[in-house]
């Protein structure tokens, strides 16, 4: 299913979530007493990066168990916490989607080889 075929309420969910997350930033008046996201953002990178690691591990375990509902649920948790990180660093899901679009149709092996020629061989392998 492509974004063009997603129902209207889900087609732009990442953008809508990012808009809400922006309001949870301490600079925007996010209340860490009443909002989990505001609390994560107020605590800084160590807090949400730890959650990203935990959620990634839970996704791996769900995938190893092969239960589709758990895989989807854990992926949603991971994506959410990644959105929190993007918010902290002043980035948006549109930035990630633009990078994925840029890579569309590129061979992962060719893309990695191009990076190594640019001196970025030590960069993490993010190609599919």
């Amino acid at each position: 299913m492509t974004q063009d075929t997603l129902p209207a309420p889900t087609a732009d969910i990442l953008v809508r979530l990012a808009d809400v997350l922006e309001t949870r930033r301490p600079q925007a008046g996010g209340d860490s007493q009443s909002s989990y996201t505001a609390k994560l953002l107020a605590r800084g990178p160590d807090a949400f990066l730890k959650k990203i690691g935990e959620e990634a591990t839970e996704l791996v375990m769900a995938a190893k168990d092969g239960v589709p509902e758990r895989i989807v649920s854990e992926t949603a948790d991971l994506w959410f916490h990644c959105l929190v990180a993007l918010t902290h660093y002043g980035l948006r899901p549109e930035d990630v989607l633009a990078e994925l679009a840029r890579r569309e149709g590129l061979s992962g092996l060719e893309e990695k080889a191009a990076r190594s020629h640019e001196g970025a061989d030590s960069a993490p392998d993010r190609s599919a």
Side-chain angles (χ1 to χ4, degrees):
M1 186 180 300
T2 66
Q3 185 165 345
D4 293 337
T5 62
L6 290 174
T10 57
D12 62 349
I13 187 65
L14 295 177
V15 171
R16 293 194 327 265
L17 280 171
D19 291 344
V20 170
L21 293 177
E22 278 296 322
T23 70
R24 303 304 196 261
R25 293 176 65 129
Q27 305 88 325
D31 181 4
S32 61
Q33 298 300 311
S34 63
S35 167
Y36 169 75
T37 301
K39 183 176 182 178
L40 280 177
L41 289 167
R43 290 175 57 205
D46 285 347
F48 57 77
L49 294 175
K50 180 180 177 185
K51 287 302 296 181
I52 289 171
E54 290 172 6
E55 299 302 346
T57 299
E58 290 173 11
L59 173 57
V60 168
M61 293 185 312
K64 289 182 82 61
D65 290 343
V67 179
E69 297 81 11
R70 281 196 51 231
I71 295 168
V72 169
S73 177
E74 296 301 343
T75 299
D77 290 346
L78 177 59
W79 284 15
F80 175 81
H81 289 91
C82 289
L83 287 171
V84 171
L86 290 173
T87 300
H88 174 81
Y89 292 107
L91 299 166
R92 302 267 314 171
E94 296 93 332
D95 299 318
V96 177
L97 295 173
E99 177 61 12
L100 290 171
R102 183 191 70 77
R103 294 180 185 190
E104 184 178 21
L106 293 177
S107 160
L109 296 175
E110 290 173 9
E111 194 267 343
K112 182 174 177 156
R115 281 190 284 124
S116 67
H117 288 119
E118 297 169 0
D121 195 39
S122 62
D125 184 11
R126 290 165 272 173
S127 57

